Amino acid sequence: GCVLVVSVIEQLAQWHNSTVKAAMERLCNYIPGKYQIIRHMLCCIDREMNADVVCHSLKLCKQDPGQPLCHLYPPPKVSWFSTLFKPTDCGSFMGFSSVCAFPLLANLCEKIKYVIRNKLPFEDFDGDKFSTFPTLRGYHWRGRDCNDKNTTVYPGRRPDNWDVKSDSNCNGIWGVDPKDGIPYEEKFCKGADSQGVVLLGDSAGAHFHIPPEWMTVTQMSAKSFANLPMAFTDELDWPQFSEITGFLNSTIGGWTDSLYLRLRRRNRCNHRDLQNISQNGITYLPINIAVYLSFSLARNQLLDNPAIVIYATIGNDVCNGNRDTLTYMTTPKEMLSNVVQALRYLDSRLPNGSHVILTGLVDGRFLWDNLHDRYHPLGQLNRDVTYSQLYSFLDCLQVSPCSGWLTPNETLRNLTSERALQLSNVLKEIARSEKFANFDIFYMDFPLRQTAEEWHKMGGEPWQLIEPVDGFHPSQIAAALGTSITWQKALDEWPQVLGKENPFNDQIEAIFKDQGGH
């Protein structure tokens, strides 16, 4: 983080032909709020050292004994350690107290940690796991609550007495048709196979994205950082645009298409019935999976509609930042145990008639093959930072999102893909052999190859399917194209999963329009 911020300040000074102090003030004016850490960097940046040296001298970066010295840029020609200043030159951040140490903020910090750890909305007054607030695991992640003071009102439940008097399931359909006295919910939604969509995923499912304009000085302005508070309170995820649960028009490149939107178009009664229970860095371990799901999943077996559950940890079972990365990958035996345990728990919670789709792991060799020699947004101004350099820097720090794929070691990349294929085969066998009382189960390969072929037909390049800043996650374009491929597969092979098309969709929309868009 320090290296990125210092690099941006130095490049802003270069691009605008200004002093580093002026560039720092420019960045402060761009970013909502004045971040103290940037101002404290100024004393060192004025010495015109590169970002690696600045951050080591600030003690924000360090070299542990016996460990390699991690750097993004080529080291200075003079001795590295003679260039570093004593802590008194620039100060040290070790003395700054955490804001959570303040008594008035301690309880708030603990609550934020709790809801993020358990994937629950921060603002949920009735405790039904749905919220009227967008971020902090609010309605960007789950359907929006329409009454946050009543625990029996939430998206996804079967209507209470056909919602004659109020909207108990938040799909916007309630009341009685004055022409014939039949409740609208009964008239339009009875027998319509209403169902929701739930994603159990990793950072790709959460739709991790760092805007490239945050570190591309040629595009940078105050507008670039307007969405920064929202992005941080969504953990740098954008589930509202994602492949499974997206529902808003994308502002991060490409377009939004999702399984939820297609189910909603197929049956307007499915409005707001979505849950994205994904986490950056998640792997479903036996010791925590039941607890994790029991805290996070909102589905009542007796009161709610069935659901389509997508189980998609497409990379984290083989991805880690450890130097001995193969040792830390999930084994086929562990995968079998983890997933079967998750499915048994789902069988105890999902309403009868639900469906589960297991998604195979991606072949991540696509990343190195298409990005390693391209310039990262941070290196485009001076053509000095390639993705290969970035991958090596993150690997050195042991914070690489995937040491097995983001490496120049072709043998290691192949071994990682081999393990990913083994784990995908475990999922395929589970779908073939396991049976459950309340849902049927299907397997689907992650459609990366088909997505790349489709994008090529549209005139696109493979690297555009990858997030430009982290060089690892699927981009907005990949998410949208992946939806269309997944939907077509379901139409062709599993039409029973999608439910039938509601013949009353046009009439429902007309009623909404008459009621002022309720």
Side-chain angles (χ1 to χ4, degrees), residues 61-308:
C61 301
K62 61 182 177 136
Q63 182 187 20
D64 293 329
Q67 297 298 320
L69 188 67
C70 302
H71 56 91
L72 182 60
Y73 298 92
K77 293 179 181 178
V78 296
S79 171
W80 176 271
F81 286 101
S82 67
T83 310
L84 295 179
F85 295 93
K86 297 177 182 178
T88 52
D89 283 340
C90 300
S92 173
F93 288 91
M94 301 303 290
F96 285 100
S97 297
S98 166
V99 292
C100 290
F102 291 102
L104 292 176
L105 295 177
N107 289 338
L108 178 63
C109 288
E110 285 305 310
K111 184 177 180 183
I112 290 175
K113 291 177 186 176
Y114 175 84
V115 298
I116 290 177
R117 183 170 61 246
N118 296 302
K119 312 297 156 278
L120 295 172
F122 177 78
E123 187 178 273
D124 177 16
F125 295 111
D126 57 13
D128 59 10
K129 302 182 181 178
F130 295 91
S131 177
T132 59
F133 191 74
T135 60
L136 287 172
R137 293 281 165 169
Y139 69 76
H140 281 171
W141 299 82
R142 303 171 189 245
R144 184 171 182 167
D145 203 339
C146 53
N147 186 343
D148 208 17
K149 297 179 180 179
N150 187 337
T151 190
T152 66
V153 175
Y154 53 84
R157 69 162 295 173
R158 294 197 299 271
D160 180 21
N161 191 29
W162 293 116
D163 284 357
V164 169
K165 294 183 178 180
S166 63
D167 188 6
S168 67
N169 55 16
C170 300
N171 68 357
I173 305 171
W174 64 278
V176 176
D177 190 336
K179 297 176 183 177
D180 53 24
I182 300 175
Y184 287 120
E185 183 90 42
E186 181 179 7
K187 177 180 287 191
F188 296 143
C189 300
K190 184 178 182 181
D193 290 345
S194 297
Q195 58 186 345
V197 58
V198 179
L199 173 66
L200 305 178
D202 51 22
S203 53
H207 209 39
F208 185 85
H209 166 80
I210 298 175
E213 56 269 24
W214 287 5
M215 53 189 69
T216 309
V217 298
T218 57
Q219 304 172 14
M220 196 174 290
S221 66
K223 186 178 178 181
S224 305
F225 294 94
N227 54 17
L228 186 145
M230 180 189 71
F232 276 115
T233 49
D234 266 336
E235 305 161 50
L236 291 176
D237 296 322
W238 307 72
Q240 66 272 35
F241 306 140
S242 68
E243 179 177 351
I244 304 299
T245 63
F247 63 94
L248 293 179
N249 290 332
S250 172
T251 57
I252 58 173
W255 61 99
T256 300
D257 192 2
S258 70
L259 180 60
Y260 163 72
L261 283 177
R262 294 197 175 216
L263 284 171
R264 184 184 179 279
R265 283 197 295 269
R266 193 171 182 82
N267 180 8
R268 184 60 179 74
C269 303
N270 292 330
H271 182 49
R272 290 184 179 169
D273 195 355
L274 64 100
Q275 297 180 55
N276 190 319
I277 307 175
S278 299
Q279 177 183 343
N280 299 335
I282 188 68
T283 51
Y284 289 117
L285 302 175
I287 57 173
N288 66 11
I289 186 163
V291 175
Y292 176 78
L293 286 173
S294 64
F295 272 113
S296 308
L297 180 66
R299 216 64 178 184
N300 186 300
Q301 204 162 43
L302 300 177
L303 298 178
D304 296 349
N305 286 320
I308 302 173

Side-chain angles (χ1 to χ4, degrees), residues 487-495:
W487 183 264
Q488 190 59 51
K489 179 179 178 63
L491 278 179
D492 294 341
E493 300 182 24
W494 320 317

Side-chain angles (χ1 to χ4, degrees), residues 368-440:
W368 180 270
D369 292 346
N370 290 288
L371 279 186
H372 75 278
D373 56 353
R374 295 188 61 82
Y375 289 108
H376 185 268
L378 208 59
Q380 288 174 5
L381 181 65
N382 296 313
R383 303 176 74 82
D384 58 352
V385 178
T386 63
Y387 282 94
S388 176
Q389 290 170 257
L390 176 71
Y391 295 156
S392 295
F393 179 52
L394 297 177
D395 191 53
C396 178
L397 294 170
Q398 297 188 58
V399 295
S400 171
C402 198
S403 294
W405 276 323
L406 308 183
T407 172
N409 186 333
E410 183 179 6
T411 300
L412 183 54
R413 298 198 303 270
N414 291 337
L415 288 172
T416 305
S417 288
E418 182 180 316
R419 176 65 60 85
L421 180 60
Q422 292 171 358
L423 300 183
S424 294
N425 286 335
V426 170
L427 297 176
K428 191 179 299 185
E429 178 59 24
I430 290 173
R432 188 192 67 80
S433 60
E434 297 287 338
K435 304 297 179 187
F436 297 91
N438 290 304
F439 56 82
D440 47 13

